Amino acid sequence: MNKQEYIANLKIQLKDEKYETVCQVIEYYEEIIDDCIEEGKNENEVINNLENVQDVVRNIKDDDLSFDINPIKKNSISYFIIILLILGFPLWGSLLAAVFLLILSIYIMIWCIPIVTCSLTLSSFIIFSVGIFGSFPLFMSSLSLGLTQLGVAALFAGIGIISFILTYISYQKILGVSIYITRQLKTYLLNILRKVRVVC
């Protein structure tokens, strides 16, 4: 078991506890693990030497917390961060908006590929259908015009099939990339919010 698994398991087991308690416990054990790793100890060994998650939860339910966090210090840090966030909003707000728009433009750019190929597929099949039905009246007036119309319709049918395959392939690839980017952004954002103690 690594640090992330231990902390995630701890959060699951503490889901019925108060939010402040969960934050204190998570912060305490993250700090212990990080300190031990900084001292050069192996992460798995550190986790194995810690209390079992069930024992931690039992101790909390018995009001036998084995750590001490000064609430006054924590609140003062939180108030200080809140004041800094309010005063710095013009700067970080505009930067956040720029980052958001940049990420949105990346999503739009990569999703343009399957949108374009899907549009090409639909238009090709519409042209194919019109070409097939439109060739019958042309056969009445001229055989060469009718054959030309059928040839153009067949050409667009081929383009439609190729663009349909490209749409399917690009959709699968881009969906995977989008999910990966979204997960990375979520993890990064959660780490930032944990550092400023907005979430635990």
Side-chain angles (χ1 to χ4, degrees):
M1 184 184 289
N2 59 25
K3 175 187 168 183
Q4 286 183 338
E5 292 170 343
Y6 185 85
I7 297 298
N9 196 5
L10 203 53
K11 284 181 183 176
I12 291 167
Q13 297 294 329
L14 291 170
K15 65 178 186 229
D16 297 327
E17 297 298 320
K18 289 190 295 184
Y19 179 78
E20 293 80 11
T21 305
V22 176
C23 285
Q24 288 179 357
V25 173
I26 297 300
E27 187 179 337
Y28 174 74
Y29 280 97
E30 279 184 339
E31 198 171 315
I32 286 179
I33 295 166
D34 290 339
D35 288 345
C36 291
I37 291 170
E38 282 175 12
E39 290 171 8
K41 295 179 182 174
N42 184 282
E43 184 177 333
N44 291 330
E45 289 177 11
V46 173
I47 300 297
N48 291 333
N49 290 332
L50 285 175
E51 285 181 285
N52 194 325
V53 173
Q54 284 76 18
D55 294 336
V56 173
V57 175
R58 196 177 305 113
N59 288 340
I60 290 166
K61 288 186 178 175
D62 294 340
D63 292 330
D64 183 23
L65 299 177
S66 56
F67 57 91
D68 182 29
I69 295 175
N70 186 355
I72 297 168
K73 184 178 177 185
K74 185 176 179 185
N75 288 338
S76 64
I77 290 171
S78 298
Y79 292 139
F80 180 69
I81 289 170
I82 289 167
I83 290 166
L84 279 179
L85 287 173
I86 292 168
L87 292 176
F89 178 75
L91 177 63
W92 68 260
S94 58
L95 288 173
L96 187 66
V99 170
F100 173 76
L101 291 173
L102 179 66
I103 292 166
L104 184 63
S105 64
I106 290 169
Y107 276 107
I108 291 169
M109 281 172 53
I110 62 175
W111 278 102
C112 275
I113 299 167
I115 290 169
V116 168
T117 54
C118 183
S119 303
L120 185 60
T121 303
L122 290 173
S123 59
S124 296
F125 283 123
I126 289 168
I127 293 169
F128 167 71
S129 302
V130 171
I132 288 291
F133 290 112
S135 65
F136 294 118
L138 287 175
F139 272 117
M140 304 284 188
S141 60
S142 171
L143 180 63
S144 59
L145 282 175
L147 288 173
T148 305
Q149 182 85 354
L150 276 177
V152 170
L155 174 67
F156 277 98
I159 292 170
I161 291 167
I162 292 168
S163 58
F164 176 77
I165 293 166
L166 289 174
T167 302
Y168 180 76
I169 292 169
S170 62
Y171 168 77
Q172 294 291 332
K173 297 284 183 188
I174 290 169
L175 182 64
V177 170
S178 297
I179 291 170
Y180 175 77
I181 292 171
T182 306
R183 284 181 180 160
Q184 292 298 317
L185 287 171
K186 181 184 172 186
T187 305
Y188 185 69
L189 183 62
L190 280 173
N191 286 337
I192 291 172
L193 291 175
R194 283 190 189 113
K195 284 181 182 175
V196 296
R197 294 179 180 173
V198 175
V199 297
C200 56

